[in-house]
Amino acid sequence: MHTDYRDIPLQFPPGFVIGSATASYQIEGAAAEGGRTPSIWDTFSHTPGRTWNGDTGDIACDHYHHLESDLDLMARLGLEAYRFSISWSRVLPNAGSVVSPDGMGFYSRLVDGLLARGIRPIATLYHWDLPQELEDAGGWPNRSTAERFAEYAARTVEALGDRVHTWTTLNEPWCAAYLGYGSGAHAPGRTNGADALAAVHHLNLAHGLAVPEIRRAATNDPDVSVTLNFHVARGEEEAVRGVEALANRAFTSPLLRGRYDDDLLAQTSAVTDWSFVQDGDLERIHQPLDVLGVNYYSTVTVRTWDGSAEKVRNDGHKDVGGSPWPGLDDVEFLPQEGPYTDMGWNIAPDGLEDLLVSLSEQFPAQPLMVTENGAAFPDVVTETADGPRVHDADRTDYLVRHFGAARRAMDRGVDLRGYLVWSLLDNFEWGYGYSKRFGIVRVDYDTRERIVKDSARWLSGVIAQQEA
Ligand code: IFM
C-alpha cells in the first residue's frame, strides 16, 4: 500500500534552502556567442536522428539574453537558492587554457545578480557538455580528460570563487558515462561497455582532482559537493544488488569510501579488467564533501532474466540500441505500477524517502541535499482575466508528495540541507528535445515568453511559510 505524503506539514528547520535548478546547455542558447565553441551536445544534437524532432540547444530558453529578467523572476518566486551549471566551452573555448572574458563574464553577472537578490548560487562545473575537442581526443574513457577537468575547475573557481556558495563538480556522472558511452542515448553517443566503465572511473577521478583545486582557489570557504542520480531498485534481491553496485556504488564507494566494491569488479569482469585504475587514484577520489547532492525521480523494478522470453528494459532511459548496464546482461527491468509522468516514469515518493534514509544509514556523517526532483507533464495554457496560466495540478501534486517524503525522511533522522526543484524553466530535455516540459515556469519556444505555472506559485508558498 502506498503511503500518502500529502498531509505532512512542509515546515523545515532554519537554514534549510529551497530553490530550483537548471543546466547550461538546456537553457542558455547563444551557442556560438561570446566565443563559445561546440560541446559534445552541440555535435550530437546536430546529428540527424539523435534528438526528438532534431531539436538542439542553439537557442533553448535564450536564458543568455534573458539573464536579468530570469533573475527577477527567481526573486519574484522567492527562491532561496539557484543551481545552475557552467558551460566549459563557454569559459574555456576550444578546451583551451585561456579564459574567455565574455563567457566567464556571463557567469559572473549571473552570480552577482543572484547575490544581489539574496539567492544562494550553487554552481555545477559539469552537466554533460564536454568540449568537443576533448571528445575528439578520446573523451571520458581517456584519463587526460580528468586532468583537463581539474584545470578547468581551477580557472573557473579562480574567477568566481569569491562568491559562489556551493561548488558541485559533476552532475549525474551515471548519465555521462553509461548513457554517453554505453547506451548511446546521450552525447557523444558511443556504445561500448568497457568505455562506459572507463568513463565512470575518469569521472570519479575528475571529481577527486578538482576538489583540492576548488578548495585552493576559492576564497569564501564554499561548500563542495557532487550530485549523483540514484537508482532506487525494487524486486529480486540479487538483481537489486547488481543494479545498486553498477548504478550507485560505482560512485558512492570511491567518492565516499575510497574503494570500488568487489561485487562491482566481479560482475563487470567480462567487460573490463579495470586496469585504468592507477595507484593512488582511489585516495585522490576520496575527498571529504560538505554536501552530497541527490537527484531522484522514480524507481526501477528488476529481476534476473531467465531467457524464456524477450528481455524487457523499462529502466526509464531512452533505448537507442546500446545498453547502459555493462555486465548486467542477465537483469531485466520490469514495467511498473503507475501513475506515470510524461517521461513514462512511475510516481513513487516512497522511493525518495527510502533513498534518503538508506544514504544516511550508509554515510551517517554526510549531509545531503535534494539537488533535483520534479516532473514532466504535457501542460495546457489557459487564458484567464489575469493573463495566461498553467494549472499544472499534476506537477504540484508530484512535488507535494515528494517534499512530504523528504520531510518524513528528516523526521527519521536524515540530515537533509535543502531541496531544489527540477526545473526552473521548461527546457531542452536532451534526447527528447523540447517535447517534455519539466519547468515550474513555462517557456513559449516561439516567443521565449515565460509563464509562471501553478506549481511555481505553490513552491513560492512553501518558501514563504518557512520560519526565518
Ligand atoms: O533534465 C534532466 C537533467 O539534466 C538531469 N537530471 C534529470 C533531468 C530530467 O531528465
Side-chain angles (χ1 to χ4, degrees), residues 126-174:
Y126 188 71
H127 198 122
W128 309 347
D129 39 2
L130 186 71
Q132 183 60 45
E133 290 81 1
L134 297 185
E135 172 56 24
D136 295 342
W140 283 111
N142 185 357
R143 184 178 181 89
S144 71
T145 302
E147 289 151 10
R148 301 293 294 278
F149 176 77
E151 290 161 20
Y152 152 61
R155 297 296 84 75
T156 305
V157 180
E158 281 158 8
L160 307 175
D162 53 342
R163 289 161 286 158
V164 167
H165 180 281
T166 304
W167 287 100
T168 303
T169 52
L170 309 172
N171 176 72
E172 300 185 355
W174 187 92

Side-chain angles (χ1 to χ4, degrees), residues 23 26 127-128 171-172 175 229 295 297 343 345 372 422 427-430 438:
Q26 294 183 272
H127 198 122
W128 309 347
N171 176 72
E172 300 185 355
C175 296
N229 58 314
N295 290 359
Y297 291 89
M343 297 294 285
W345 297 346
E372 281 184 31
W422 186 267
N427 59 48
F428 175 75
E429 177 55 24
W430 309 112
F438 272 93

